Amino acid sequence: MNQLPLLDSIQFQQAFSLGANVTLLAVNIRNDRLIMTGSGIYTPFSATYHHARKGDPEEGRLLVARVPVLEPLEAGGGETTDSGYCYQDSCDDPPPPSYPTFISSMMYDTFTFVLLNETQGDIKVCNGTFCCRLQYRWLLQDHKELYALGAFAGTHTVNGRYALQVCAVVRCAGLDQSSCGQEAEEAESKMDFLGIFLEQPESLEKAADGRLTMKHSNTKCGRMYHLDNE
């Protein structure tokens, strides 16, 4: 099932395929009441999927795709100068300017957030020793939505118990920082950024120490899945 603001089926299914370098077949029961809306066939290079919209008939959909035989993912040989995440004792120097942080709950976990309230910026937020870094630039300066970069490293204890390390850019449900981490179903703002991204990125680099950098331009923070191929 979808669990906003982080887990919308198509996005995290595709992100898992890309990050783990695997082919993923996600077959979801279509049930709007249980917030089950998306299925797909994913590889690190392509995706064939269906994401139902509100009002669509609750019916099955046949997806067919040819998938490649994948080679093991090797660490990139190039030096990574900006990372989506790092640890405080290994973060790149010089560090970005310091911005005020705040604590808010997201999906039952306690995240540390920093707001994206400048026209552009280079920001970092840490949850304990785990840090997330983001370089961003808003394409429209008069956007009416509030966004934040969040970090969490700890044990998730709801609907299962497992260790998590998460960097996430989220739209806050309202215009106050206390709404960051709450569910938001729609978004309209666009940005360029270097950091973590869930769609197919323009470039993907993995350093020998495991640090991952993704770059994407003209990011649509709100996504209309039925227009992806247009």
Side-chain angles (χ1 to χ4, degrees), residues 186-205:
E186 298 179 354
E188 297 180 353
S189 303
K190 294 182 180 181
M191 71 166 78
D192 294 337
F193 73 82
L194 181 66
I196 299 299
F197 195 66
L198 296 180
E199 291 182 352
Q200 194 74 19
E202 293 175 7
S203 63
L204 172 64
E205 295 183 14

Side-chain angles (χ1 to χ4, degrees):
M1 62 184 296
N2 302 336
Q3 180 68 61
L4 297 176
L6 293 184
L7 303 181
D8 199 331
S9 55
I10 303 302
Q11 293 176 326
F12 69 80
Q13 291 163 5
Q14 188 172 355
F16 182 89
S17 171
L18 178 64
N21 192 49
V22 297
T23 296
L24 174 67
L25 171 63
V27 184
N28 215 350
I29 297 172
R30 172 70 195 286
N31 189 315
D32 286 351
R33 183 178 62 84
L34 297 178
I35 328 175
M36 296 177 176
T37 61
S39 300
I41 304 169
Y42 307 91
T43 81
F45 317 106
S46 64
T48 300
Y49 54 80
H50 174 67
H51 188 280
R53 290 179 290 166
K54 289 182 179 179
D56 287 351
E58 289 197 15
E59 58 186 18
R61 184 68 62 95
L62 176 64
L63 301 175
V64 179
R66 185 182 299 275
V67 300
V69 176
L70 301 177
E71 298 294 334
L73 184 64
E74 297 181 356
E79 180 181 357
T80 300
T81 57
D82 291 282
S83 178
Y85 74 90
C86 61
Y87 294 93
Q88 283 189 337
D89 58 356
S90 64
C91 290
D92 295 335
D93 291 324
S98 177
Y99 291 92
T101 62
F102 60 96
I103 302 297
S104 188
S105 177
M106 181 161 64
M107 296 177 60
Y108 308 102
D109 296 319
T110 302
F111 277 72
T112 305
F113 285 100
V114 61
L115 294 177
L116 279 65
N117 53 9
E118 305 287 345
T119 303
Q120 61 183 18
D122 182 356
I123 59 177
K124 184 179 77 171
V125 62
C126 297
N127 185 258
T129 60
F130 177 77
C131 300
C132 303
R133 184 171 179 179
L134 177 73
Q135 294 178 14
Y136 71 95
R137 178 176 65 90
W138 292 110
L139 299 184
L140 297 176
Q141 299 184 16
D142 59 346
H143 62 92
K144 306 299 182 182
E145 300 166 337
L146 182 65
Y147 288 81
L149 172 66
F152 172 76
T155 302
H156 182 79
T157 59
V158 177
N159 295 327
R161 185 180 181 87
Y162 44 87
L164 276 181
Q165 291 181 327
V166 182
C167 294
V169 177
V170 296
R171 182 205 164 183
C172 306
L175 296 179
D176 185 87
Q177 70 179 36
S178 62
S179 69
C180 298
Q182 299 176 13
E183 292 188 9
E185 294 188 359
E186 298 179 354
E188 297 180 353
S189 303
K190 294 182 180 181
M191 71 166 78
D192 294 337
F193 73 82
L194 181 66
I196 299 299
F197 195 66
L198 296 180
E199 291 182 352
Q200 194 74 19
E202 293 175 7
S203 63
L204 172 64
E205 295 183 14
K206 187 175 183 180
D209 61 3
R211 290 178 298 152
L212 188 67
T213 299
M214 296 184 185
K215 180 180 180 181
H216 207 287
S217 301
N218 197 23
T219 302
K220 298 178 180 178
C221 296
R223 185 171 174 188
M224 301 178 70
Y225 296 93
H226 63 291
L227 298 180
D228 277 3
N229 296 323
E230 297 186 10

